Amino acid sequence: MDRLRALEVFVEVVKRDGFARAAEALDTSPANVTRYISDLEAHLQTRLLNRSSRKMSLTSSGEALFERAKSILDDVAEAEAIVSSATLQPHGVLRINAPLSFGVLHLAPLWAKFMRLYPEVKLDVSLIDRVVDIVEEGYDMAVRISRAGSTANVARKLATSQNVLCASPDYIQQRGMPQTPAELLQHDGIGYSYAANADEWPMLDASGQTHTVKMPCVMHTNNGDTARAAALGGLGVIWQPTFLVGADLRAGRLQRVLPDYHMPDMDVLAIYPSRRHLSAKVRVMIDFLVQELAGTPPWDRTA
């Protein structure tokens, strides 16, 4: 028995909820599908499917095998894609989505280097802060800043960005430096509209205890550069990633607020639809970004 093929048939039967539909998807006969399932059950010495003329359901053994088999088949497909894409010359249009500020500050300087390495790849880069549906909107991949990852797509981590509270020296001189999270309630905040937690700002103390402040915000914006400009102008306290404000902190244009408290970090992720049939142009772009952002990311480097 070809066990890998048997697992593929089994997964397809479960996904299609039937032998005939699985046979059609696999371009084989229902009799072959039945034979593979029977051979697999005999090999494992357990029933995987409860089936009757009207209904089919998974046994407990079948449920356990189904999840593991899907993972195995994905791993095999990824290995095949690695080998096959290595033999293909990357070419064609590569449509990428990325957040506006991050795309301008940290991705735009990389594009010329990438295109010199892969001259047959033509980049089409869209910078949008909202979370896009990369399949629905026709992107090959996206770069996303997130704590939650992606449930709908495959994600590969590129780097980490710290989140920090900060304000301008002028603002701190006028309003004072808060010493505890509770004292933030006496200050003005500048809120980010796309933040999942809205105006509730969580922070961890040295013992790991979380303190959440419902920040009184005098301004909201859906763009990090606008929040940064407002903070530089002395309007209030912002909670922003170091990829946006790292240079300002190093230059003293902004100062850390509550430096003894830790904000949740953000992952910089490459998002793409599937491990299966990953094109050479997407694979080389992801590998390129991993290499360029390796180690201490550019926004946290001091030199």
Side-chain angles (χ1 to χ4, degrees), residues 233-248:
L235 190 62
V237 180
I238 57 172
W239 174 13
Q240 287 291 326
T242 51
F243 75 72
L244 185 66
V245 299
D248 297 314

Side-chain angles (χ1 to χ4, degrees), residues 126-272:
S126 295
L127 302 181
I128 306 171
D129 280 336
R130 66 176 174 84
V131 177
V132 303
D133 185 322
I134 59 176
V135 175
E136 185 71 22
E137 299 184 43
Y139 293 102
D140 297 295
M141 60 172 288
V143 175
R144 192 165 293 167
I145 316 296
S146 173
R147 293 205 310 270
S150 174
T151 57
N153 301 288
V154 182
R156 183 173 177 186
K157 183 176 176 179
L158 302 175
T160 299
S161 182
Q162 302 174 52
N163 276 319
V164 294
L165 292 176
C166 54
S168 71
D170 286 345
Y171 175 87
I172 291 171
Q173 183 176 6
Q174 292 176 19
R175 301 290 296 272
M177 176 67 82
Q179 301 300 313
T180 67
E183 291 184 17
L184 284 173
L185 296 173
Q186 308 305 316
H187 286 262
D188 296 330
I190 301 163
Y192 182 60
S193 303
Y194 286 148
N197 51 298
D199 295 338
E200 294 185 351
W201 292 5
M203 53 205 80
L204 299 173
D205 62 24
S207 68
Q209 182 179 354
T210 300
H211 304 260
T212 301
V213 175
K214 179 70 173 178
M215 192 67 188
C217 290
V218 296
M219 174 182 172
H220 289 88
T221 176
N222 66 354
N223 175 257
D225 288 300
T226 300
R228 169 182 171 269
L232 288 170
L235 190 62
V237 180
I238 57 172
W239 174 13
Q240 287 291 326
T242 51
F243 75 72
L244 185 66
V245 299
D248 297 314
L249 292 170
R250 289 190 292 274
R253 294 185 292 268
L254 293 173
Q255 290 182 233
R256 290 281 298 268
V257 173
L258 298 178
D260 294 333
Y261 289 80
H262 175 70
M263 311 299 122
D265 290 339
M266 305 291 282
D267 287 336
V268 182
L269 304 170
I271 306 291
Y272 50 102

Side-chain angles (χ1 to χ4, degrees), residues 82-157:
I82 290 171
V83 174
S84 62
S85 65
T87 64
L88 297 175
Q89 179 66 30
H91 70 283
V93 177
L94 177 58
R95 295 198 67 217
I96 303 174
N97 167 262
L100 178 59
S101 299
F102 187 84
V104 170
L105 291 171
H106 302 293
L107 295 180
L110 302 179
W111 298 142
K113 180 177 180 179
F114 176 84
M115 296 185 73
R116 283 193 291 269
L117 291 171
Y118 303 101
E120 298 302 314
V121 178
K122 310 303 179 186
L123 295 182
D124 182 351
V125 181
S126 295
L127 302 181
I128 306 171
D129 280 336
R130 66 176 174 84
V131 177
V132 303
D133 185 322
I134 59 176
V135 175
E136 185 71 22
E137 299 184 43
Y139 293 102
D140 297 295
M141 60 172 288
V143 175
R144 192 165 293 167
I145 316 296
S146 173
R147 293 205 310 270
S150 174
T151 57
N153 301 288
V154 182
R156 183 173 177 186
K157 183 176 176 179

Side-chain angles (χ1 to χ4, degrees), residues 253-292:
R253 294 185 292 268
L254 293 173
Q255 290 182 233
R256 290 281 298 268
V257 173
L258 298 178
D260 294 333
Y261 289 80
H262 175 70
M263 311 299 122
D265 290 339
M266 305 291 282
D267 287 336
V268 182
L269 304 170
I271 306 291
Y272 50 102
S274 174
R275 290 187 177 95
R276 291 178 179 268
H277 312 303
L278 184 62
S279 67
K281 62 187 178 183
V282 173
R283 184 169 296 281
V284 296
M285 173 58 77
I286 293 172
D287 290 342
F288 171 78
L289 292 176
V290 167
Q291 180 176 337
E292 290 297 315

